[in-house]
CSV table of all heavy atoms in Angstrom, one decimal:
chain,number,residue,atom,x,y,z
B,125,GLU,N,0.8,-1.2,0.0
B,125,GLU,CA,0.0,0.0,0.0
B,125,GLU,C,0.9,1.3,0.0
B,125,GLU,O,0.5,2.3,-0.6
B,125,GLU,CB,-0.9,0.0,1.2
B,125,GLU,CG,-2.1,-1.0,1.1
B,125,GLU,CD,-3.0,-0.9,2.3
B,125,GLU,OE1,-3.4,0.2,2.7
B,125,GLU,OE2,-3.2,-2.0,2.9
B,126,ARG,N,2.0,1.2,0.7
B,126,ARG,CA,2.9,2.4,0.7
B,126,ARG,C,3.5,2.8,-0.6
B,126,ARG,O,4.1,3.8,-0.7
B,126,ARG,CB,4.0,2.2,1.8
B,126,ARG,CG,5.0,1.1,1.4
B,126,ARG,CD,6.1,1.1,2.5
B,126,ARG,NE,7.1,0.1,2.1
B,126,ARG,CZ,7.3,-1.1,2.6
B,126,ARG,NH1,6.4,-1.5,3.5
B,126,ARG,NH2,8.2,-1.9,2.1
B,127,ASP,N,3.3,1.9,-1.6
B,127,ASP,CA,3.8,2.2,-3.0
B,127,ASP,C,2.8,2.9,-3.8
B,127,ASP,O,3.1,3.3,-5.0
B,127,ASP,CB,4.3,1.0,-3.7
B,127,ASP,CG,5.5,0.4,-3.1
B,127,ASP,OD1,6.3,1.1,-2.5
B,127,ASP,OD2,5.8,-0.8,-3.2
B,128,ALA,N,1.6,3.2,-3.3
B,128,ALA,CA,0.5,3.8,-4.2
B,128,ALA,C,1.0,5.1,-4.7
B,128,ALA,O,0.7,5.4,-5.9
B,128,ALA,CB,-0.7,3.9,-3.3
B,129,TRP,N,1.6,6.0,-3.9
B,129,TRP,CA,2.0,7.3,-4.5
B,129,TRP,C,3.1,7.1,-5.6
B,129,TRP,O,3.0,7.8,-6.6
B,129,TRP,CB,2.6,8.1,-3.3
B,129,TRP,CG,2.9,9.5,-3.8
B,129,TRP,CD1,2.1,10.6,-3.9
B,129,TRP,CD2,4.1,9.9,-4.4
B,129,TRP,NE1,2.7,11.7,-4.4
B,129,TRP,CE2,4.0,11.3,-4.7
B,129,TRP,CE3,5.4,9.3,-4.6
B,129,TRP,CZ2,5.0,12.0,-5.3
B,129,TRP,CZ3,6.4,10.0,-5.2
B,129,TRP,CH2,6.2,11.4,-5.5
B,130,LYS,N,4.0,6.2,-5.3
B,130,LYS,CA,5.1,6.0,-6.3
B,130,LYS,C,4.4,5.6,-7.7
B,130,LYS,O,4.8,6.1,-8.7
B,130,LYS,CB,6.0,4.9,-5.9
B,130,LYS,CG,6.9,5.2,-4.8
B,130,LYS,CD,7.7,3.9,-4.4
B,130,LYS,CE,8.6,4.1,-3.2
B,130,LYS,NZ,7.8,4.2,-1.9
B,131,LEU,N,3.5,4.7,-7.7
B,131,LEU,CA,2.9,4.2,-8.9
B,131,LEU,C,2.0,5.3,-9.6
B,131,LEU,O,2.0,5.4,-10.8
B,131,LEU,CB,2.1,2.9,-8.6
B,131,LEU,CG,2.9,1.7,-8.2
B,131,LEU,CD1,2.1,0.6,-7.7
B,131,LEU,CD2,3.8,1.3,-9.4
B,132,SER,N,1.3,6.1,-8.8
B,132,SER,CA,0.4,7.1,-9.4
B,132,SER,C,1.2,8.3,-9.8
B,132,SER,O,0.7,9.1,-10.6
B,132,SER,CB,-0.7,7.5,-8.4
B,132,SER,OG,-0.2,8.1,-7.3
B,133,HIS,N,2.5,8.5,-9.3
B,133,HIS,CA,3.3,9.6,-9.7
B,133,HIS,C,4.7,9.0,-10.2
B,133,HIS,O,5.7,9.5,-9.9
B,133,HIS,CB,3.6,10.5,-8.5
B,133,HIS,CG,2.4,11.1,-8.0
B,133,HIS,ND1,1.5,10.5,-7.1
B,133,HIS,CD2,1.8,12.3,-8.2
B,133,HIS,CE1,0.5,11.3,-6.8
B,133,HIS,NE2,0.7,12.4,-7.5
B,134,TRP,N,4.6,8.0,-11.1
B,134,TRP,CA,5.7,7.2,-11.5
B,134,TRP,C,6.9,8.1,-12.1
B,134,TRP,O,8.0,8.0,-11.7
B,134,TRP,CB,5.4,6.1,-12.5
B,134,TRP,CG,6.6,5.3,-12.7
B,134,TRP,CD1,7.4,5.3,-13.9
B,134,TRP,CD2,7.2,4.4,-11.8
B,134,TRP,NE1,8.5,4.5,-13.7
B,134,TRP,CE2,8.4,3.9,-12.5
B,134,TRP,CE3,6.9,3.9,-10.5
B,134,TRP,CZ2,9.2,3.0,-11.9
B,134,TRP,CZ3,7.8,3.0,-10.0
B,134,TRP,CH2,8.9,2.5,-10.6
B,135,ASP,N,6.5,9.0,-13.0
B,135,ASP,CA,7.6,9.8,-13.6
B,135,ASP,C,8.3,10.6,-12.6
B,135,ASP,O,9.6,10.7,-12.7
B,135,ASP,CB,7.0,10.7,-14.7
B,135,ASP,CG,6.5,9.9,-15.9
B,135,ASP,OD1,6.9,8.7,-16.1
B,135,ASP,OD2,5.6,10.4,-16.7
B,136,GLU,N,7.6,11.2,-11.7
B,136,GLU,CA,8.2,12.0,-10.6
B,136,GLU,C,9.1,11.2,-9.7
B,136,GLU,O,10.3,11.5,-9.4
B,136,GLU,CB,7.2,12.7,-9.8
B,136,GLU,CG,7.7,13.6,-8.7
B,136,GLU,CD,6.6,14.3,-7.9
B,136,GLU,OE1,5.4,14.2,-8.3
B,136,GLU,OE2,6.9,14.8,-6.9
B,137,PHE,N,8.6,10.0,-9.3
B,137,PHE,CA,9.3,9.1,-8.5
B,137,PHE,C,10.6,8.6,-9.2
B,137,PHE,O,11.7,8.7,-8.6
B,137,PHE,CB,8.5,7.9,-8.0
B,137,PHE,CG,9.3,6.7,-7.5
B,137,PHE,CD1,9.9,6.8,-6.3
B,137,PHE,CD2,9.6,5.6,-8.3
B,137,PHE,CE1,10.7,5.8,-5.8
B,137,PHE,CE2,10.4,4.6,-7.8
B,137,PHE,CZ,10.9,4.7,-6.6
B,138,TRP,N,10.5,8.2,-10.4
B,138,TRP,CA,11.6,7.6,-11.1
B,138,TRP,C,12.7,8.6,-11.4
B,138,TRP,O,13.9,8.4,-11.3
B,138,TRP,CB,11.1,6.9,-12.4
B,138,TRP,CG,12.3,6.1,-13.0
B,138,TRP,CD1,12.8,6.3,-14.2
B,138,TRP,CD2,13.0,5.0,-12.4
B,138,TRP,NE1,13.8,5.4,-14.4
B,138,TRP,CE2,14.0,4.6,-13.3
B,138,TRP,CE3,13.0,4.4,-11.2
B,138,TRP,CZ2,14.9,3.6,-13.1
B,138,TRP,CZ3,13.9,3.4,-10.9
B,138,TRP,CH2,14.8,3.0,-11.8
B,139,ALA,N,12.2,9.9,-11.7
B,139,ALA,CA,13.2,10.9,-12.0
B,139,ALA,C,14.0,11.2,-10.7
B,139,ALA,O,15.2,11.4,-10.8
B,139,ALA,CB,12.5,12.2,-12.5
B,140,SER,N,13.3,11.3,-9.6
B,140,SER,CA,14.1,11.6,-8.3
B,140,SER,C,15.0,10.4,-8.0
B,140,SER,O,16.1,10.6,-7.4
B,140,SER,CB,13.1,11.9,-7.2
B,140,SER,OG,12.4,10.8,-6.8
B,141,ALA,N,14.6,9.2,-8.3
B,141,ALA,CA,15.4,8.0,-7.9
B,141,ALA,C,16.6,8.0,-8.8
B,141,ALA,O,17.7,7.6,-8.4
B,141,ALA,CB,14.6,6.7,-8.2
B,142,GLN,N,16.5,8.4,-10.0
B,142,GLN,CA,17.7,8.5,-11.0
B,142,GLN,C,18.6,9.6,-10.7
B,142,GLN,O,19.8,9.5,-11.0
B,142,GLN,CB,17.2,8.5,-12.4
B,142,GLN,CG,16.4,7.3,-12.8
B,142,GLN,CD,17.2,6.0,-12.6
B,142,GLN,OE1,18.2,5.8,-13.2
B,142,GLN,NE2,16.8,5.2,-11.7
B,143,ALA,N,18.1,10.7,-10.1
B,143,ALA,CA,18.9,11.9,-9.9
B,143,ALA,C,19.8,11.7,-8.7
B,143,ALA,O,20.8,12.5,-8.5
B,143,ALA,CB,18.0,13.1,-9.7
B,144,ALA,N,19.5,10.8,-7.8
B,144,ALA,CA,20.2,10.7,-6.6
B,144,ALA,C,21.6,10.1,-6.8
B,144,ALA,O,21.8,9.1,-7.5
B,144,ALA,CB,19.4,9.8,-5.6
B,145,ASP,N,22.6,10.8,-6.3
B,145,ASP,CA,24.0,10.4,-6.5
B,145,ASP,C,24.6,10.3,-5.1
B,145,ASP,O,24.7,11.3,-4.4
B,145,ASP,CB,24.7,11.4,-7.4
B,145,ASP,CG,26.2,11.1,-7.6
B,145,ASP,OD1,26.6,9.9,-7.5
B,145,ASP,OD2,27.0,12.1,-7.8
B,146,CYS,N,25.0,9.1,-4.7
B,146,CYS,CA,25.5,8.9,-3.3
B,146,CYS,C,27.0,9.5,-3.3
B,146,CYS,O,27.8,9.0,-4.0
B,146,CYS,CB,25.5,7.5,-3.0
B,146,CYS,SG,26.1,7.2,-1.3
B,147,ARG,N,27.2,10.5,-2.5
B,147,ARG,CA,28.5,11.2,-2.4
B,147,ARG,C,29.3,10.8,-1.1
B,147,ARG,O,30.2,11.6,-0.8
B,147,ARG,CB,28.3,12.7,-2.5
B,147,ARG,CG,27.6,13.0,-3.8
B,147,ARG,CD,27.5,14.5,-4.0
B,147,ARG,NE,26.9,14.8,-5.3
B,147,ARG,CZ,26.3,15.9,-5.6
B,147,ARG,NH1,26.2,16.9,-4.7
B,147,ARG,NH2,25.8,16.1,-6.8
B,148,TRP,N,28.9,9.8,-0.4
B,148,TRP,CA,29.5,9.5,0.8
B,148,TRP,C,31.0,9.2,0.6
B,148,TRP,O,31.4,8.3,-0.2
B,148,TRP,CB,28.9,8.3,1.5
B,148,TRP,CG,27.4,8.5,1.8
B,148,TRP,CD1,26.7,9.7,1.8
B,148,TRP,CD2,26.5,7.4,2.1
B,148,TRP,NE1,25.4,9.4,2.1
B,148,TRP,CE2,25.2,8.0,2.3
B,148,TRP,CE3,26.6,6.1,2.2
B,148,TRP,CZ2,24.1,7.3,2.6
B,148,TRP,CZ3,25.5,5.3,2.5
B,148,TRP,CH2,24.2,6.0,2.7
B,149,ARG,N,31.8,9.8,1.4
B,149,ARG,CA,33.3,9.4,1.4
B,149,ARG,C,33.5,8.5,2.6
B,149,ARG,O,32.7,8.3,3.5
B,149,ARG,CB,34.1,10.7,1.6
B,149,ARG,CG,34.0,11.4,2.9
B,149,ARG,CD,34.9,12.7,2.9
B,149,ARG,NE,34.6,13.4,4.2
B,149,ARG,CZ,34.1,14.6,4.2
B,149,ARG,NH1,33.9,15.3,3.1
B,149,ARG,NH2,33.9,15.2,5.4
B,150,GLY,N,34.7,7.8,2.5
B,150,GLY,CA,35.1,6.9,3.5
B,150,GLY,C,34.5,5.5,3.3
B,150,GLY,O,34.5,4.7,4.3
B,151,ALA,N,34.0,5.2,2.1
B,151,ALA,CA,33.5,3.8,1.9
B,151,ALA,C,34.0,3.4,0.5
B,151,ALA,O,34.3,4.2,-0.4
B,151,ALA,CB,32.0,3.9,1.9
B,152,HIS,N,34.0,2.1,0.3
B,152,HIS,CA,34.2,1.5,-1.0
B,152,HIS,C,32.9,1.4,-1.7
B,152,HIS,O,31.9,0.9,-1.1
B,152,HIS,CB,34.8,0.0,-0.7
B,152,HIS,CG,35.0,-0.7,-2.0
B,152,HIS,ND1,35.9,-0.3,-3.0
B,152,HIS,CD2,34.5,-1.9,-2.4
B,152,HIS,CE1,35.9,-1.2,-3.9
B,152,HIS,NE2,35.1,-2.2,-3.6
B,153,HIS,N,32.8,1.9,-2.9
B,153,HIS,CA,31.5,1.9,-3.6
B,153,HIS,C,31.6,0.9,-4.7
B,153,HIS,O,32.5,0.8,-5.5
B,153,HIS,CB,31.3,3.3,-4.2
B,153,HIS,CG,31.0,4.4,-3.2
B,153,HIS,ND1,29.7,4.8,-2.9
B,153,HIS,CD2,31.8,5.0,-2.4
B,153,HIS,CE1,29.7,5.7,-2.0
B,153,HIS,NE2,31.0,5.9,-1.6
B,154,VAL,N,30.5,0.0,-4.8
B,154,VAL,CA,30.4,-1.1,-5.7
B,154,VAL,C,29.1,-0.9,-6.5
B,154,VAL,O,28.0,-0.6,-5.8
B,154,VAL,CB,30.4,-2.4,-5.0
B,154,VAL,CG1,30.2,-3.6,-6.0
B,154,VAL,CG2,31.8,-2.6,-4.3
B,155,LEU,N,29.1,-1.1,-7.8
B,155,LEU,CA,27.9,-1.1,-8.6
B,155,LEU,C,27.4,-2.5,-8.8
B,155,LEU,O,28.2,-3.4,-9.3
B,155,LEU,CB,28.2,-0.4,-9.9
B,155,LEU,CG,27.0,0.0,-10.8
B,155,LEU,CD1,26.0,0.9,-10.1
B,155,LEU,CD2,27.5,0.5,-12.1
B,156,PHE,N,26.1,-2.8,-8.6
B,156,PHE,CA,25.5,-4.1,-8.9
B,156,PHE,C,24.3,-3.8,-9.8
B,156,PHE,O,23.3,-3.3,-9.4
B,156,PHE,CB,25.0,-4.8,-7.6
B,156,PHE,CG,24.5,-6.1,-7.8
B,156,PHE,CD1,25.3,-7.2,-7.9
B,156,PHE,CD2,23.1,-6.4,-8.1
B,156,PHE,CE1,24.9,-8.5,-8.1
B,156,PHE,CE2,22.6,-7.6,-8.3
B,156,PHE,CZ,23.5,-8.7,-8.3
B,157,ASP,N,24.5,-4.2,-11.1
B,157,ASP,CA,23.5,-4.0,-12.1
B,157,ASP,C,22.5,-5.2,-12.0
B,157,ASP,O,22.9,-6.3,-12.4
B,157,ASP,CB,24.1,-3.9,-13.5
B,157,ASP,CG,23.1,-3.6,-14.6
B,157,ASP,OD1,21.9,-3.6,-14.3
B,157,ASP,OD2,23.5,-3.4,-15.7
B,158,ASN,N,21.3,-4.9,-11.6
B,158,ASN,CA,20.3,-6.0,-11.4
B,158,ASN,C,19.3,-6.0,-12.6
B,158,ASN,O,18.2,-6.5,-12.5
B,158,ASN,CB,19.6,-5.7,-10.1
B,158,ASN,CG,18.9,-7.0,-9.6
B,158,ASN,OD1,19.2,-8.1,-10.1
B,158,ASN,ND2,17.9,-6.8,-8.7
B,159,SER,N,19.7,-5.4,-13.7
B,159,SER,CA,18.7,-5.2,-14.8
B,159,SER,C,18.6,-6.5,-15.7
B,159,SER,O,17.5,-6.9,-16.0
B,159,SER,CB,19.2,-4.1,-15.8
B,159,SER,OG,19.0,-2.9,-15.2
B,160,ARG,N,19.7,-7.1,-15.9
B,160,ARG,CA,19.7,-8.3,-16.9
B,160,ARG,C,19.5,-9.6,-16.2
B,160,ARG,O,18.4,-10.2,-16.3
B,160,ARG,CB,21.0,-8.3,-17.7
B,160,ARG,CG,21.1,-7.1,-18.5
B,160,ARG,CD,22.3,-7.2,-19.5
B,160,ARG,NE,22.4,-5.9,-20.2
B,160,ARG,CZ,23.4,-5.1,-20.0
B,160,ARG,NH1,24.3,-5.3,-19.1
B,160,ARG,NH2,23.4,-4.0,-20.7
B,161,GLU,N,20.5,-10.1,-15.5
B,161,GLU,CA,20.4,-11.4,-15.0
B,161,GLU,C,19.7,-11.5,-13.6
B,161,GLU,O,19.4,-12.6,-13.1
B,161,GLU,CB,21.7,-12.1,-15.0
B,161,GLU,CG,22.8,-11.3,-14.2
B,161,GLU,CD,24.2,-11.9,-14.4
B,161,GLU,OE1,24.4,-13.0,-13.9
B,161,GLU,OE2,25.0,-11.2,-15.0
B,162,GLY,N,19.6,-10.4,-12.9
B,162,GLY,CA,19.1,-10.4,-11.6
B,162,GLY,C,20.1,-11.0,-10.6
B,162,GLY,O,21.3,-11.1,-10.8
B,163,VAL,N,19.6,-11.3,-9.4
B,163,VAL,CA,20.5,-11.8,-8.3
B,163,VAL,C,20.6,-13.3,-8.5
B,163,VAL,O,20.0,-14.1,-7.7
B,163,VAL,CB,19.9,-11.4,-6.9
B,163,VAL,CG1,20.9,-11.8,-5.9
B,163,VAL,CG2,19.7,-9.9,-6.9
């Protein structure tokens, strides 16, 4: 149920999700592409 807003405002939600860039220092950053084969 908590996803109702995301689904009804998908373009807004997805744009904000894509715009987010994690800038934390002091960590090792790893990219895991879950688009093709999944986990």
Side-chain angles (χ1 to χ4, degrees):
E125 288 182 51
R126 68 176 183 258
D127 289 334
W129 184 90
K130 291 177 184 72
L131 292 169
S132 64
H133 297 84
W134 185 257
D135 291 340
E136 182 181 347
F137 163 73
W138 189 242
S140 67
Q142 295 305 294
D145 179 28
C146 183
R147 298 183 180 160
W148 301 343
R149 64 178 176 245
H152 177 61
H153 291 260
V154 175
L155 188 64
F156 184 86
D157 184 354
N158 199 19
S159 292
R160 294 190 184 106
E161 56 188 294
V163 184

